[in-house]
Amino acid sequence: MSNEQPHREEDHDTPRPVSRIAEPTLAEFREFLLDAAQENPAPGFWRSTFQDSFTRVFVETIDTYLEKTGSTAGGYDPDEPAPLTRDYLANLARAHRGASQRGTAALDGLLDQIAYDLDLYDVRIMRGAWAGITEAMPRIALAARERGKSPDEIAQATGYTSSRIAQFIRQEKQRRAAVPLARYSWRVEVMDTDGEWTDREHGEGDLDPDDLSSEANRLIDESGARTGRARIFLWEGENEGVDADAAHTVDRTRH
């Protein structure tokens, strides 16, 4: 059997640099400042304005220092891409938010740069990492809650909704308490003013099979359908089935 590694065509022209774990850099501190200002805005107009001005002055000072010392603040340098570093990924997320707001031309340019920077192996690594993060989110959310963060603050920092964060926290508490749970999928529907049912939310998660009625009402509430007529169908497993095969249903009207 040959030990020769398969040839990678995308690396044929230029070798890609190897990312190594290093101590935090000044450029990473710069990104931390920008993220912190966005994720933890000061309450009140004047305090928020002062915070923005202070952050801008601080970041511009760092940029000036990096320029004079010949360093860079990281990001999309086509001559020296460094994908999968925290600095790169933070810049990517911020640039994507900005480009999405500016329009198609800006977004197309960014997507072209991402396609240049990343190869197929990078994509596989990030997909695997995201799968791990998704499974760890209940533990991440509860750990942040135990440090004093509110569900709204955790939601703002992570990009999830507050109801989803609350679900993560409850899920992790149940896991710690060793409550035997089972996997269910569900669909929440609401009745429109014309008397027609409309899908409100689809989801799946671990629920208490001995208290499906409470679980169903909680899921309806978390979907935002706290008033009016709503119903939910629960199926065992990760896939929705036909309505008649639902393991549990709730149809309720609240004012």
Side-chain angles (χ1 to χ4, degrees):
M1 179 182 295
S2 171
N3 292 326
E4 184 179 349
Q5 296 297 317
H7 177 65
R8 294 173 56 183
E9 292 186 358
E10 58 268 34
D11 291 345
H12 175 75
D13 295 325
T14 357
R16 300 175 68 249
V18 177
S19 298
R20 294 181 173 85
I21 299 175
E23 293 296 323
T25 64
L26 182 59
E28 289 173 331
F29 177 61
R30 173 187 184 276
E31 301 307 320
F32 170 79
L33 284 176
L34 293 172
D35 287 337
Q38 183 177 18
E39 294 172 2
N40 302 286
F45 173 78
W46 293 113
R47 290 182 64 185
S48 178
T49 302
F50 174 77
Q51 182 190 53
D52 291 342
S53 300
F54 178 80
T55 302
R56 185 168 58 254
V57 170
F58 206 165
V59 169
E60 288 175 354
T61 303
I62 293 175
D63 288 342
T64 301
Y65 171 80
L66 292 172
E67 182 179 354
K68 288 183 177 181
T69 57
S71 303
T72 67
Y76 304 101
D77 181 359
D79 297 323
E80 191 179 353
L84 307 190
T85 63
R86 182 171 185 171
D87 188 42
Y88 176 90
L89 296 177
N91 283 345
L92 189 155
R94 187 179 300 106
H96 185 263
R97 287 195 299 268
S100 299
Q101 296 171 355
R102 291 196 301 273
T104 304
L107 183 59
D108 282 345
L110 175 64
L111 297 181
D112 286 341
Q113 184 63 60
I114 294 173
Y116 179 93
D117 288 348
L118 304 181
D119 65 20
L120 301 179
Y121 293 86
D122 294 329
V123 174
R124 180 172 182 173
I125 290 170
M126 284 191 285
R127 283 174 58 85
W130 179 244
I133 292 170
T134 301
E135 292 186 19
M137 263 311 299
R139 307 179 192 218
I140 295 171
L142 183 55
R145 186 75 182 95
E146 291 173 340
R147 292 194 300 268
K149 293 283 188 181
S150 70
D152 287 342
E153 290 173 326
I154 300 171
Q156 183 181 24
T158 59
Y160 285 98
T161 63
S162 296
S163 64
R164 189 71 172 116
I165 292 298
Q167 183 181 357
F168 282 143
I169 292 172
R170 182 171 50 254
Q171 182 179 337
E172 177 59 12
K173 286 182 176 178
Q174 290 174 329
R175 187 192 70 83
R176 291 186 183 182
V179 175
L181 302 178
R183 196 72 172 176
Y184 287 84
S185 56
W186 63 81
R187 184 180 75 248
V188 177
E189 299 178 345
V190 294
M191 180 168 284
D192 293 336
T193 54
D194 58 2
E196 297 292 329
W197 288 105
T198 302
D199 289 358
R200 175 80 179 192
E201 183 178 271
H202 297 257
E204 64 178 67
D206 296 326
L207 306 178
D208 182 355
D210 295 327
D211 194 12
L212 288 179
S213 179
S214 297
E215 296 276 36
N217 280 285
R218 173 181 61 77
L219 290 170
I220 294 176
D221 288 341
E222 290 180 354
S223 75
R226 294 180 178 273
T227 59
R229 188 175 178 186
R231 67 184 183 184
I232 185 173
F233 296 87
L234 292 167
W235 294 272
E236 295 179 352
E238 298 182 349
N239 299 314
E240 294 185 16
V242 297
D243 295 355
D245 292 339
H248 191 82
T249 62
V250 168
D251 186 334
R252 74 183 197 190
T253 302
R254 289 185 178 178
H255 303 285

